[in-house]
Amino acid sequence: MLIGYGYVAKATARRLKAAGIAVTATTRSAGTGREIEAAGHAACVCDPATREGGAALRAAAREASHVISSVPPGEDGDPVLAALEGGDLSRTWLGYLSTTGVYGDRGGGWAFEWDAPTPGQDRSVRRQRAEEGWSALGARLFRLGGIYGPGRSAIDRLREGSARRIDDPGQVFCRIHVEDIASCLVLAVRQPGPQGAFNLVDDWPSPQAEVVEGAARLLGMEPPPLEALEQAQMSAMARSFYDERRRVSNARAKAAYGWRLQFPSWREGLPACL
């Protein structure tokens, strides 16, 4: 069962179905419920923040052999964890999609799963708390880098006219193509172990400006002008991504699951998006 039916869950559901694994996906929207059913999956329309929705979610989770939640925590915590409290999931394989943001700033150094999380942003602190709750239930933690893919990449931002090139020497971001996330999750649900945390990122941490330039070359257009970070006008949320510098290792997921990236860097991933 996939709790939440966003960008990653949709890609994962497609791959699970192709592997012959029946999928139930949850949503709070009746319209998205119809979309789930049209894709050939079972839908559970419920709001885990309500008493009735929480009961429906617990019932569906008890029937599932595997549960993966992609629902982010809010300021009041993780609504899915609260809804599942008291449910007997001791025999259920659990997975939680988190973020590499829990590692905080590493000064450009590498982050590994055995490193203690040191989140610096409020949203990453909430993620760490959610991870602790899911870990207490025995869930695997999948820490995702910046997600991109068809309809959600530097190519799309260039076409929309919203792409920017930010000059911030020494800054790199870790990314992951949505299909590589989905392929690892399918491998994971087919194996009883191991447990713990897994970083899902590609092999090539890269500066944001480099990726935008590469996308512009693919489109045969001039890249947007280079903007110094100090002078760039952007939201507090956007600027916060430049406050931390880290490279994230994906070695454990490769070793544990035999996972191999279809798109080891943006150089392969962006042409596939195009």
Side-chain angles (χ1 to χ4, degrees):
M1 183 173 78
L2 301 176
I3 302 178
Y5 194 64
Y7 191 63
V8 172
K10 290 178 183 179
T12 304
R14 287 194 300 270
R15 284 188 175 252
L16 289 169
K17 181 183 177 184
I21 300 172
V23 174
T24 296
T26 76
T27 177
R28 294 179 298 174
S29 163
T32 304
R34 291 189 290 270
E35 178 186 344
I36 292 169
E37 292 173 346
H41 316 305
C44 175
V45 180
C46 61
D47 184 348
T50 68
R51 179 179 297 180
E52 297 79 6
L57 185 66
R58 284 193 299 277
R62 283 195 296 269
E63 295 296 319
S65 60
H66 298 70
V67 172
I68 299 175
S69 176
S70 58
V71 176
E75 293 185 0
D76 296 328
D78 187 327
V80 174
L81 273 175
L84 293 179
E85 185 176 2
D88 182 10
L89 299 176
S90 59
R91 298 183 180 180
T92 305
W93 185 103
L94 299 174
Y96 175 65
L97 305 191
S98 185
T99 169
T100 57
V102 298
Y103 293 114
D105 182 26
R106 298 295 162 121
W110 287 90
F112 301 91
E113 290 90 347
W114 56 79
D115 293 335
T118 54
Q121 307 288 344
D122 287 345
R123 62 182 181 276
S124 299
V125 171
R126 292 194 292 270
R127 283 287 191 178
Q128 183 189 13
R129 291 171 181 161
E131 282 192 359
E132 291 170 353
W134 283 100
S135 292
L137 295 178
R140 286 87 175 155
L141 308 176
F142 298 96
R143 294 170 176 161
L144 313 184
I147 304 164
Y148 76 99
R152 186 171 163 174
S153 73
I155 288 173
D156 301 283
R157 292 191 294 276
L158 280 165
R159 286 172 166 167
E160 296 163 357
S162 62
R164 303 172 70 179
R165 276 195 308 153
I166 304 299
D167 183 24
D168 185 18
Q171 175 66 52
V172 294
F173 291 104
C174 290
R175 297 166 183 78
I176 182 72
H177 193 288
V178 66
E179 292 296 338
D180 281 326
I181 299 172
S183 70
C184 188
L185 294 178
V186 172
L187 289 171
V189 301
R190 288 176 147 175
Q191 302 183 41
Q195 295 182 316
F198 302 88
N199 296 328
L200 301 191
V201 294
D202 69 19
D203 295 335
W204 199 261
S206 304
Q208 178 265 3
E210 178 183 286
V211 177
V212 174
E213 291 164 8
R217 286 195 298 271
L218 287 172
L219 292 173
M221 62 186 294
E222 286 295 318
L226 197 61
E227 304 175 63
L229 177 64
E230 294 77 11
Q231 282 78 47
Q233 298 296 314
M234 62 178 69
S235 68
M237 169 68 83
R239 187 173 292 276
S240 70
F241 288 101
Y242 293 88
D243 292 338
E244 299 176 343
R245 299 166 185 260
R246 60 179 171 268
R247 291 168 169 82
V248 181
S249 170
N250 59 19
R252 186 174 188 236
K254 288 179 176 178
Y257 298 125
W259 179 50
R260 295 298 177 265
L261 291 152
Q262 184 179 357
F263 307 107
S265 78
W266 63 264
R267 291 175 173 83
E268 297 80 24
L270 284 185
C273 293
L274 184 62

